[in-house]
Amino acid sequence: MATVGYYSMTNGQGIASQVDEITNNGDTAVNVTIPNAAQLASLDSLYVVNPSNGNFGAEYMSNLAAITAAVNGGMNLIIFDRYVTNAQTILPGGSSITAVRAPASDINVAAGAPAGLTNGPNGTINNSTFDNGNYSHHGYVTLGSLPAGATPLLTTANASQIVAFTYPVGAGNVFYSTIPLDYYTGASNPNITPAEVFSLFGNTQSILCFTRGALIETPRGKKQVEDLKVGDATYVSSGGTKRIKCISSTKLGKAALARQPQNRPVRITAGALGNGLPHRDLLVSRQHRMLIDSKVAERMFGTCKALVSAIKLTALPGIYVDEDVEEVEYFHILFGEHQIIWAEGTLSESLFTGPEVLKSVPPSARAELEELFPEICSADYQAISAALIPSGKAQKELVARHLKNEKAMIATLEGSYLPQKVAQTQAHFLH
């Protein structure tokens, strides 16, 4: 569950119609009254609408430096803008773009748009989904002016005129769209339904997985993740073993990583987490979570165990986004419940069957997941995590405290997390 702030440039705070998009996706909505550093610090994402056809909000502009710093620090910025003119002035890292205000009603899916956009958990998006609204879009950004690493998502009838796109900035991402979502989210226009709005807001690509070559601990010894199959047993931190119910992979080549650098893996070098862990370099996706075990976590959360996303760990020495990787294959391991397993000797999560799970796997695996776990398709489904997952802000603070005090992220168990010690460690894990 993410914490998403919502804010309107013309209202000086969030508007009620923004809340449904956030809560419909299983996230926590926070009304942002001033987008300054203090309020942004607690957010994983900031969702902004600009209902004005003639300007940008003065308050937003006066806090742009704080917004930019938050994005560089890992926050996602989501903007739906009607004005469009000079949009480069409101976008962190977007100074190169050329924006043209030209309201029209035709919106198409961009060539090469991620499958998570067109076939997400909230429904499909195609070339007619957002057509024929009261000015379905209010302009476009020229394809050639997009920032480095940008991914076009939606276009006008002209494929070089980009209506919506996303791009990485520092540890965060920016999503920009010229669709007047504030108008459609209030069901003001019958041609754009609330369900379609939820689809647009919620269908984002989120890959949570290990990379090819990662060694997973099993009763048959260490196995490379690509050699595992449905029915294989792996050790789990709660004790004993669990059998894999679903495993799939997503391969990204050099061209795909150039288009979507946010999908480059995080490298956790050998020993970077403390106590010699992991045993070898471990590559995972940015949002994949590792189990932290320390007194610092216990003081903060009342438990020494917490799952922290890899991108938050990049503030530590020896953990970084690996820009030299030219291609990567991510593997998604799913059990009946969320589990914590051993990878390269350290503990990490399996795929979490929370609101994001159907966005995290290729379309070929989605039907299988829906058949195996029909409950995850239910609107009221509540997934249970295998360990505490702090908010993005709390994860960032936890890492900062370890860094300041020079404390290892894995410090309270002796030696390494060997499966042979499952019986001894189970009682400690549940402490």
Side-chain angles (χ1 to χ4, degrees):
M1 178 180 291
T3 301
V4 181
Y6 58 101
Y7 177 82
S8 167
M9 288 191 190
T10 60
N11 291 67
Q13 63 175 345
I15 54 179
S17 59
Q18 290 179 277
V19 174
D20 281 352
E21 290 94 272
I22 300 169
T23 57
N24 181 72
N25 287 288
D27 296 324
T28 300
V30 175
N31 186 6
V32 173
T33 56
I34 302 175
N36 57 21
Q39 294 197 31
L40 299 179
S42 64
L43 305 180
D44 296 305
S45 299
L46 175 64
Y47 163 31
V48 177
V49 293
N50 179 29
S52 173
N53 287 299
N55 56 58
F56 300 122
E59 185 177 69
Y60 177 95
M61 298 303 293
S62 65
N63 285 282
L64 185 58
I67 294 169
T68 300
V71 173
N72 274 288
M75 184 185 79
N76 296 313
L77 176 62
I78 302 162
I79 299 182
F80 289 90
D81 174 33
R82 288 198 198 196
Y83 182 38
V84 184
T85 306
N86 294 322
Q88 72 276 7
T89 63
I90 65 170
L91 298 177
S95 61
S96 67
I97 74 169
T98 299
V100 179
R101 179 173 164 80
S105 61
D106 189 14
I107 295 178
N108 294 334
V109 175
L117 175 78
T118 54
N119 295 281
N122 288 302
T124 60
I125 293 175
N126 56 40
N127 287 354
S128 62
T129 302
F130 298 104
D131 290 347
N132 302 315
N134 183 20
Y135 293 142
S136 290
H137 69 84
H138 277 62
Y140 57 86
V141 170
T142 58
L143 177 63
S145 71
L146 291 179
T151 301
L153 301 174
L154 299 170
T155 73
T156 70
N158 183 335
S160 67
Q161 297 175 352
I162 311 303
V163 170
F165 59 95
T166 185
Y167 61 97
V169 178
N173 297 282
V174 174
F175 169 93
Y176 175 79
S177 172
T178 66
I179 297 174
L181 200 63
D182 61 288
Y183 182 78
Y184 300 129
T185 194
S188 300
N189 189 297
N191 291 314
I192 311 294
T193 69
E196 289 165 341
V197 171
F198 294 153
S199 295
L200 177 59
F201 195 83
N203 289 7
T204 56
Q205 186 170 346
S206 177
I207 301 175
L208 300 172
C209 36
F210 299 100
T211 60
R212 172 176 285 272
L215 292 176
I216 309 298
E217 297 283 0
T218 81
R220 295 175 177 267
K222 301 180 193 298
K223 298 293 183 183
Q224 291 187 326
V225 65
E226 62 268 28
D227 293 332
L228 296 175
K229 60 184 182 298
V230 171
D232 284 350
T234 72
Y235 287 106
V236 295
S237 62
S238 56
T241 63
K242 294 290 184 181
R243 295 192 180 276
I244 296 171
K245 286 202 171 183
C246 182
I247 186 166
S248 62
S249 67
T250 302
K251 190 171 185 179
L252 301 172
K254 185 174 182 179
L257 290 177
R259 291 194 306 269
Q260 299 172 291
Q262 68 271 25
N263 288 333
R264 291 189 179 279
V266 170
R267 181 178 292 273
I268 305 173
T269 59
L273 294 174
N275 274 318
L277 299 173
H279 293 157
R280 303 189 310 163
D281 286 12
L282 177 64
L283 277 73
V284 296
S285 61
R286 293 187 180 209
Q287 299 306 323
H288 191 93
R289 289 178 283 251
M290 308 298 296
L291 187 75
I292 301 311
D293 183 353
S294 75
K295 292 295 184 183
V296 178
E298 187 171 24
R299 287 192 292 271
M300 287 183 65
F301 310 125
T303 175
C304 54
K305 306 295 188 300
L307 286 164
V308 177
S309 62
I311 194 64
K312 295 294 192 299
L313 295 171
T314 56
L316 299 170
I319 304 177
Y320 56 92
V321 175
D322 195 332
E323 303 288 348
D324 294 327
V325 170
E326 293 193 347
E327 63 178 29
V328 63
E329 186 172 8
Y330 290 114
F331 286 79
H332 326 273
I333 302 175
L334 191 63
F335 301 89
E337 305 84 22
H338 192 219
Q339 299 291 345
I340 296 174
I341 64 177
W342 280 266
E344 301 296 353
T346 192
L347 288 166
S348 183
E349 69 174 347
S350 67
L351 192 64
F352 185 29
T353 55
E356 297 297 308
V357 64
L358 294 180
K359 306 175 190 179
S360 307
V361 297
S364 58
R366 190 169 295 117
E368 181 180 5
L369 287 180
E370 291 174 345
E371 181 177 352
L372 286 171
F373 308 101
E375 66 275 10
I376 69 177
C377 303
S378 172
D380 58 357
Y381 174 65
Q382 295 292 325
I384 300 174
S385 62
L388 173 70
I389 303 176
S391 68
K393 177 186 178 182
Q395 291 182 37
K396 185 176 181 180
E397 183 179 352
L398 174 66
V399 173
R401 289 192 187 185
H402 278 86
L403 189 61
K404 179 180 179 181
N405 296 301
E406 298 181 341
K407 298 294 185 181
M409 299 299 287
I410 297 176
T412 61
L413 288 183
E414 296 180 2
S416 61
Y417 290 106
L418 295 176
Q420 295 93 315
K421 296 184 178 180
V422 168
Q424 297 111 307
T425 61
Q426 183 177 6
H428 181 90
F429 182 84
L430 296 174
H431 171 64

